[in-house]
Amino acid sequence: MHFTISHELDAPLDAVELAVLSPDLGPRLATRVASLESVVAVEHALRDGELLRVLRFQASAPLPIFRSYPVAKDAMSWEERSTYRLSDHASTWQVSPKEQWRSYFRSAGTYRLERLPQGRTRRRVDGDIQIRLNLLGPLVERLALAEVQRTYDAEADTLRELIRA
């Protein structure tokens, strides 16, 4: 399932980019999303105009459709690896669940900042999410996408907070 999530921020691209590059982004995001127990920065390295960031996410509970099933805690953990390039204000990202769950889930995409008139910035995320489960796959994809939307909405609020700080 393909998705596009876009937010407009009332700040210039340079200010938004500094917030995107902040090592505080992941941990602050965790405090804004009820379904996240934690977001830990595993790697955060800016070299040669590129930021390599690895964030480890731990969900606090499974998706509602799985609440009555015993879901292993590590099934609700994943890493997001991204490489942000200062030269084009964009990154590629990929989500990797724990090894034993990778055959069921795949997600990757791009993240881009665009300069807008009047000193504003658009943050646009394009991605694909694929969940391979017999019969339930498409339903679980839609539920997961709703969580992804909530997370990027919270990230936009976190960026606004970092810009004001």
Side-chain angles (χ1 to χ4, degrees), residues 12-23 84 86 113 159 162-163:
L13 188 140
D14 293 346
V16 175
E17 189 165 64
L18 283 174
V20 167
L21 297 174
S22 172
Y84 184 87
L86 293 170
L113 299 179
L159 289 171
L162 286 167
I163 291 164

Side-chain angles (χ1 to χ4, degrees), residues 47-68:
R47 285 190 288 277
D48 301 324
E50 291 187 345
L51 172 67
L52 170 61
R53 177 172 24 217
V54 179
L55 297 175
R56 181 173 299 134
F57 290 77
Q58 178 64 57
S60 55
L63 290 171
I65 193 170
F66 295 118
R67 286 192 205 265
S68 62

